[in-house]
């Protein structure tokens, strides 16, 4: 935490005035640039003028939905004037307590704060937020109002739980956006810096804002890292291997061995197509793929194409047949093995579960064990992403996808960022555009910004069958005219959840474990959707994990009885995998079998930008 400072040099008002004039001109240029995609036909511009006529600003639908949702909550309170007055009185009492506390403090008496930020909230860490009475009032007023608004949503009567969930989510976005930590005049640290630099920080920030608007084609893409600092095969996606097969949907990568012998049964990794696969291969220290290879596993990974309008009709069945099942075929050609182990991450795991159910129904059971990493098959407790998955919003998304045949990668990236707005949106807005500091190079955030598109048919199927209707868990999903039943899936399953996951909540993964018909080893790791998975063994393993037998009964009871283990879950998983099929054979060299190399890993599809 920063120490309190009471000294402040006299501001250079002449420099501030010059910066203000320059800032005003830069703001005018920025506003003009942001409107270029929406120029009327015939006015040209970098985006072809009329080609974008009638387009809506990115996020406009979300703003409309937010307004409708919060209005519904407000209407429930307006219907009961007495209850509304009680709520207003409670707010007034909190502010009266704050004022009394402030007066006591200014008179030299000790005064306890009326409202305090959560321990993990970094926005108010600077000492001046507490030491300076003015900024302390600003901070506490914001927190009081935020807690009051959250309580209004929580206690609103006569609304369904989905609407309440949406209201909580959208209120969190508003509170994050209007935090006093985001603005120069209400943030002591930003105010001090701006005065000390004569506004030069704002000029640097405006320059970065213009660059980010230009990079987004008129839509703001807030940079989270230095996008020029990474090269595939050198800084990210570094594990040596070869692309041994390619079709319209995927490249299949086989990784080079690091041991003289390997497990006879190969492993196929199915990553999500919503992101790129190299989250599992960021660098040598954090690479799950590289670690698997070092344990003596012949690892194959699907690298999905970054789809465009040509892929509009590729649906879940296409991804199953042209992705997983074709990959298994090609692994057989390359190694001579007809059976594989498989691992799926996030929605890649959902597709893997669909494939397992399909193979169980058709008798083509080539996958002999399955590992699911933060994967949902039951979407009852699917977390905040369900906010975007009701009939009305899905229809809007389908209409947008119909125009081009895909969902733009930036829209999905924005949705994920909104799950943690303080950390993934506003901290970078403040750092970049107010402090005027370029973000540091960080491989994880480079991957996070490397967006992928979603084919219209695939994404529509996913939203409707998983988030909206939960058909896989209910035994109602149909693929290739086959009704899927997860209870017919009898292969051993390793099902990893992470404690703080916002995308595949631990409870959701726990409930999903009971949908399978065979033995499921449910493991609960620490941290969230990414850090809990990418947690290598050794001195840097930050988070432990819990094991506790079958995922049955109440989730809370399972946690209470589970055994806690320090360090990474990776070695525990390898012991589980090896026990399924321990036989070893001489190491296999990619490209030297029946399938020659088409080029080195990480291939060409991963380089395609959205």
């Amino acid at each position: 935490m920063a120490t309190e400072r009471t000294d402040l040099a006299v501001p250079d008002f002449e420099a501030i005035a010059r910066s203000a004039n320059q800032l005003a001109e830069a703001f005018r240029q920025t506003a003009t640039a942001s409107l270029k995609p929406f120029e009327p036909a015939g006015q040209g511009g970098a985006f072809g003028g009329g080609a974008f006529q009638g387009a809506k600003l990115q996020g406009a639908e979300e703003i409309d939905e937010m307004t409708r949702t919060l209005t519904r909550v407000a209407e429930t309170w307006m219907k009961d004037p007495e209850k509304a007055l009680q709520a207003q009185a409670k707010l007034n009492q909190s502010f009266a307590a704050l004022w009394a506390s402030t007066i006591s403090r200014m008179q030299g008496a000790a005064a306890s704060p009326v409202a305090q930020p959560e321990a993990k909230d970094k926005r108010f860490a600077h000492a001046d937020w507490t030491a300076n009475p003015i900024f302390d009032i600003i901070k506490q007023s914001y927190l009081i109002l935020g807690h009051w608004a959250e309580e209004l949503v929580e206690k609103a009567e006569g609304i369904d739980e989905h609407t309440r969930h949406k209201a909580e989510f959208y209120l969190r976005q508003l509170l994050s956006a209007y935090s006093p930590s985001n603005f120069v005049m209400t943030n002591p640290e930003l105010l001090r810096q701006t005065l000390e630099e004569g506004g030069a920080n704002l000029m640097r920030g405006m320059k970065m804002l213009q660059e980010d608007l230009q990079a987004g084609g008129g839509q703001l893409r807030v940079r989270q890292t230095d996008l020029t600092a990474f090269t595939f095969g050198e800084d990210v996606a570094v594990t040596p291997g070869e692309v041994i097969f390619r079709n319209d949907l995927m490249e299949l990568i086989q990784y080079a061995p690091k041991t003289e012998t390997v497990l006879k049964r190969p492993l196929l990794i199915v990553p999500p197509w919503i992101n790129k696969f190299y989250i599992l291969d960021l660098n040598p220290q954090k690479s799950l793929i590289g670690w698997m290879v070092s344990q003596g596993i012949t690892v194959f990974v699907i690298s999905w194409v970054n789809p465009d309008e040509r892929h509009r009709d590729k649906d879940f069945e296409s991804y199953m047949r042209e992705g997983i099942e074709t990959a298994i075929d090609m692994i057989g050609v390359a190694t001579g093995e007809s059976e594989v182990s498989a691992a799926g991450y996030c929605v890649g795991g959902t597709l893997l579960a669909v494939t397992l159910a399909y193979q169980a129904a058709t008798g083509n059971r080539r996958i002999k064990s399955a590992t699911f990493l933060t994967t949902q098959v039951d979407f009852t407790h699917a977390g905040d992403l369900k906010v975007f998955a009701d009939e009305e919003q899905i229809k809007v998304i389908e209409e947008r996808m119909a125009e081009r045949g895909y969902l733009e990668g930036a829209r999905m990236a924005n949705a994920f960022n909104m799950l943690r707005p303080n950390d993934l949106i506003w901290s970078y807005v403040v750092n970049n555009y107010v402090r005027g500091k370029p973000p540091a190079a960080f491989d994880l955030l480079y991957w996070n910004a490397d967006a992928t598109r979603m084919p219209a048919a695939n994404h529509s199927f996913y939203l409707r069958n998983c988030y909206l209707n939960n058909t896989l868990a209910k035994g109602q999903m149909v693929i290739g005219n086959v009704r899927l039943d997860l209870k017919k899936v009898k292969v051993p399953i390793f099902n990893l959840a992470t404690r703080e996951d916002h995308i595949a909540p631990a409870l959701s993964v726990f409930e999903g474990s009971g949908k399978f018909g065979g033995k499921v080893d449910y493991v609960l790791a620490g941290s969230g959707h990414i850090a809990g998975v990418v947690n290598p063994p050794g001195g840097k393993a930050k988070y432990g994990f819990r094991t506790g037998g079958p995922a049955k009964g109440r989730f809370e009871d399972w946690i209470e009885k589970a055994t806690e283990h320090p360090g990474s879950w990776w070695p525990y998983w390898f012991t589980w995998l090896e026990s399924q099929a321990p036989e070893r054979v001489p190491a296999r060299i990619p490209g030297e079998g029946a399938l020659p190399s088409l080029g080195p890993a990480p291939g060409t599809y991963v380089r395609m930008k959205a």
Side-chain angles (χ1 to χ4, degrees):
M1 179 180 292
T3 58
E4 179 182 358
R5 290 179 54 189
T6 56
D7 60 307
L8 185 62
V10 176
D12 185 341
F13 291 105
E14 184 176 343
I16 292 174
R18 286 197 303 270
S19 294
N21 289 332
Q22 294 170 355
L23 193 63
E25 174 58 21
F27 183 81
R28 184 193 65 78
Q29 295 174 358
T30 301
T32 301
S34 68
L35 294 173
K36 279 197 173 185
F38 309 102
E39 289 176 349
Q43 290 190 13
F47 303 97
F52 283 80
Q53 189 173 16
K56 289 191 74 175
L57 186 66
Q58 181 174 303
E61 294 93 345
E62 288 87 347
I63 293 173
D64 292 344
E65 185 64 26
M66 178 178 66
T67 302
R68 285 192 295 268
T69 301
L70 295 178
T71 297
R72 287 189 62 186
V73 173
E75 288 172 348
T76 67
W77 287 91
M78 289 163 52
K79 290 177 182 178
D80 190 340
E82 182 178 351
K83 192 175 179 183
L85 284 173
Q86 291 173 355
Q88 183 63 48
K90 186 173 182 179
L91 178 64
N92 293 341
Q93 289 169 3
S94 296
F95 276 112
L98 174 60
W99 183 242
S101 172
T102 302
I103 292 176
S104 296
R105 180 181 173 184
M106 295 180 73
Q107 291 174 345
S112 299
V114 177
Q116 293 193 74
E118 295 180 0
K120 294 190 295 184
D121 192 340
K122 302 175 183 177
R123 294 174 297 173
F124 305 105
H126 193 276
D128 280 350
W129 282 110
T130 300
N132 187 306
I134 300 301
F135 290 108
D136 187 44
I137 290 175
I138 292 172
K139 174 191 68 179
Q140 290 196 62
S141 297
Y142 165 77
L143 294 172
I144 288 170
L145 189 60
H147 295 158
W148 177 77
E150 289 169 347
E151 191 171 334
L152 288 185
V153 173
E154 181 184 346
K155 295 185 177 181
E157 298 177 351
I159 60 174
D160 60 273
E161 286 309 305
H162 179 62
T163 300
R164 192 187 311 277
H165 188 185
K166 287 199 297 182
E168 292 170 344
F169 179 83
Y170 289 131
L171 177 61
R172 190 159 66 247
Q173 307 308 312
L174 283 176
L175 292 175
S176 295
Y178 287 104
S179 169
S181 59
N182 296 340
F183 306 99
V184 171
M185 297 307 294
T186 54
N187 183 326
E189 192 176 5
L190 297 180
L191 180 58
R192 186 184 297 276
Q193 180 187 355
T194 301
L195 292 176
E196 289 177 346
E197 294 194 34
N201 55 310
L202 301 181
M203 285 301 304
R204 295 193 304 271
M206 184 60 72
K207 182 175 184 296
M208 282 193 281
L209 178 62
Q210 291 172 332
E211 292 170 352
D212 290 351
L213 277 168
Q214 184 176 6
Q219 306 285 2
L220 180 60
R221 290 187 182 179
V222 181
R223 72 181 83 177
Q224 297 173 320
T225 187
D226 181 359
L227 298 178
T228 65
F230 300 95
T231 301
F232 286 115
E234 297 179 13
D235 308 293
V236 293
V238 293
T239 302
E242 304 292 332
V243 176
I244 61 167
F245 178 78
R246 179 185 298 118
N247 63 18
D248 286 345
L249 275 187
M250 62 99 175
E251 290 181 329
L252 183 64
I253 301 171
Q254 179 182 355
Y255 287 94
K258 296 180 182 178
T259 56
E260 291 185 2
T261 64
V262 293
L263 293 178
K264 185 173 185 290
R265 182 183 292 171
L267 173 71
L268 171 65
I269 298 178
V270 185
W273 53 88
I274 290 174
N275 311 106
K276 294 184 178 178
F277 80 89
Y278 63 90
I279 185 59
L280 301 176
D281 188 31
L282 281 176
N283 62 47
Q285 291 73 42
K286 294 187 287 190
S287 174
L288 177 56
I289 291 172
W291 184 87
M292 288 176 171
V293 172
S294 72
Q295 303 307 299
I297 304 174
T298 304
V299 178
F300 294 82
V301 173
I302 289 174
S303 175
W304 299 107
V305 73
N306 203 338
D308 55 33
E309 59 275 2
R310 295 169 297 177
H311 301 89
R312 67 165 58 239
D313 296 324
K314 298 292 186 181
D315 56 10
F316 240 60
E317 183 178 352
S318 303
Y319 273 68
M320 180 186 76
R321 295 192 187 282
E322 300 174 42
I324 294 178
E325 292 197 327
T326 296
I328 295 172
D329 290 341
M330 295 303 107
I331 291 172
V333 174
T335 67
E337 299 295 327
S338 59
E339 298 177 352
V340 302
S341 298
Y345 188 10
C346 189
V347 67
T350 307
L351 179 68
L352 175 58
V354 166
T355 306
L356 284 168
Y358 184 84
Q359 290 191 357
T362 58
N364 180 18
R365 305 182 183 187
R366 296 183 290 172
I367 301 173
K368 294 303 180 181
S369 77
T371 297
F372 295 114
L373 307 177
T374 59
T375 291
Q376 296 180 100
V377 296
D378 183 343
F379 287 74
T380 303
H381 305 287
D384 284 342
L385 285 178
K386 289 191 76 172
V387 165
F388 303 105
D390 52 40
E391 182 64 37
E392 186 175 87
Q393 291 186 89
I394 290 175
K395 282 184 177 179
V396 171
I397 293 171
E398 288 173 336
E399 289 171 2
R400 288 187 65 93
M401 292 192 296
E403 296 172 5
R404 297 184 179 180
Y406 57 83
L407 182 69
E408 302 92 333
R411 292 182 67 85
M412 202 70 198
N414 288 343
F416 285 125
N417 287 338
M418 288 171 72
L419 299 180
R420 294 169 54 203
N422 290 333
D423 295 332
L424 295 178
I425 299 176
W426 295 105
S427 64
Y428 292 101
V429 169
V430 170
N431 180 78
N432 301 353
Y433 310 139
V434 185
R435 288 194 171 96
K437 296 180 179 180
F442 188 17
D443 51 12
L444 175 59
L445 291 174
Y446 175 82
W447 167 85
N448 191 54
D450 194 4
T452 58
R453 309 180 191 96
M454 269 63 69
N458 177 298
H459 201 55
S460 177
F461 183 95
Y462 178 52
L463 290 176
R464 289 191 173 279
N465 282 272
C466 295
Y467 279 96
L468 183 61
N469 297 318
N470 202 19
T471 59
L472 182 60
K474 295 176 181 177
Q476 298 171 355
M477 182 178 286
V478 176
I479 294 283
N481 295 320
V482 174
R483 185 178 294 274
L484 305 184
D485 181 1
L486 289 175
K487 285 296 182 184
K488 294 180 179 179
V489 176
K490 307 289 187 179
V491 301
I493 288 174
F494 184 98
N495 205 10
L496 180 83
T498 55
R499 190 66 182 267
E500 301 170 14
D501 200 330
H502 295 277
I503 296 171
L507 172 61
S508 183
V509 178
F510 180 86
E511 296 287 346
S513 297
K515 302 299 179 181
F516 296 99
K519 184 178 179 181
V520 177
D521 190 348
Y522 177 79
V523 176
L524 181 61
S527 194
H529 192 72
I530 295 171
V533 173
V534 185
N535 184 37
K540 293 185 178 181
K542 297 180 181 179
Y543 316 106
F545 62 98
R546 296 184 184 220
T547 60
K552 296 180 180 179
R554 294 175 67 250
F555 178 53
E556 295 79 6
D557 295 338
W558 186 93
I559 291 177
E560 187 176 339
K561 296 176 183 177
T563 301
E564 190 163 1
H565 308 270
S568 172
W569 59 270
W570 294 7
Y572 178 86
W573 168 81
F574 178 72
T575 300
W576 175 88
L577 181 78
E578 188 178 36
S579 69
Q580 312 299 325
E583 183 181 352
R584 287 183 172 253
V585 297
R588 306 166 175 118
I589 307 301
E592 291 189 2
L595 292 177
S597 172
L598 302 180
T604 59
Y605 281 178
V606 74
R607 303 173 192 272
M608 300 169 67
K609 299 297 182 181

